[in-house]
Amino acid sequence: MKYVLRLTMLIGGCLALQACCFGSSQPASGPGAPTPPGAPAFGLPVPSSAPVPPGAPAVGQVPAGATPPGGFTAMQLPSVPMPYAPNSFVWAGFSNTPDWSQWSFGRVRFIGAEGNHAKVQAMFRERLTPSAFVSPAIAPAALAPGAPVLYATAMPIYGRVISVAGAQAQIANGQAASYRTAPRDLETVLALQPNTWTAGHPVALAEGAKRYACILLAATPEKVWGVCSGHLHEGARADARLIDPVAHLATGARVLAQSMSGMGQQSLEAGSVTAVLNDGNAYTVTTTEGRTFDAPWPMVMAAP
């Protein structure tokens, strides 16, 4: 008799465990009854009975013009449409750090729009970045030798095309002794539109009495934003100057040039070209104070 009672209790316990974890195969009444069609699943919030207007964001989404939690709020930026397919590639300026202190520019994967920000996958992490700093990644249709381009590895790099064969371009970059060439797939290259206010173009931004060589992220008729030696800068459009990517400066030319060496962020200095290096991919510059250094072409511009 005791054995029968224990067996009955054991079977009852197993049935209770199955109902708890996997669901009962038998219909029931009361609190355990099947959920009516259209009702929320157990444990999920009950939606408002008010109808959702057409085009309104789904529950939990951020409206198109709103800044999502954790978004960038230090500057007033325009909100730009993002008609990009999920998992497609875009060019974007993005922060490398949670406190927005370090920035870069590169070809990254677009995950989706969150209000006035894009969620992108950059440097093996998902990051939010303002929509104003996102632009399409379109493989160049044609590149001629000498064309200025930008490509990204661990950092953005400017270069000039040497030759094109099929879907690859041979690109020269660097300065002085570090001059080198490398093959790049065309789909990973940003072809610069010379002397246009488009993302990726080299630009000189003013901050007080100083100017900095930067990568242009976005521009409006009033303001310009760029990445300058890993820092995000905002400047007045009237004070900004595009750095001509197709200019070939001669010895003796008066220029503004920025050194890549030294501690802290360097700024553009007045000087003159004393040597042309590597077919104009870099220059030796002597400043008005007598300091001499080599600089790549994106950090050298004709003096105004």
Side-chain angles (χ1 to χ4, degrees), residues 4 6 18-19 38 72 80 97 104 108-109 139 157-158 174 207 228 235 242 250 289:
V4 174
R6 287 177 182 174
Q18 182 188 26
F72 182 66
V80 176
T97 53
S104 188
V108 298
R109 192 177 295 277
I157 299 174
Y158 283 109
E207 187 175 277
C228 316
L242 293 172
E289 286 77 22

Side-chain angles (χ1 to χ4, degrees), residues 248-251 273-284:
H248 287 267
L249 303 169
T251 301
V273 173
T274 52
V276 178
L277 307 174
N278 306 316
D279 298 323
N281 280 279
Y283 302 93
T284 299

Side-chain angles (χ1 to χ4, degrees), residues 78-90:
S79 181
V80 176
M82 294 177 285
Y84 312 114
N87 293 317
S88 62
F89 283 97
V90 294

Side-chain angles (χ1 to χ4, degrees), residues 141-226:
L143 287 174
V149 296
L150 182 146
Y151 64 89
T153 53
M155 63 183 68
I157 299 174
Y158 283 109
R160 287 190 176 128
V161 173
I162 298 175
S163 61
V164 178
Q168 278 196 334
Q170 194 74 17
I171 298 172
N173 67 77
Q175 61 172 359
S178 65
Y179 174 85
R180 58 192 178 275
T181 64
R184 296 290 163 187
D185 292 339
L186 290 178
E187 66 178 7
T188 66
V189 171
L190 175 62
L192 303 180
Q193 304 301 318
N195 304 311
T196 60
W197 295 89
T198 51
H201 199 292
V203 65
L205 298 186
E207 187 175 277
K210 295 185 176 182
R211 289 181 184 271
Y212 299 93
C214 309
I215 299 173
L216 180 63
L217 296 185
T220 66
E222 295 79 28
K223 292 185 178 182
V224 179
W225 296 268

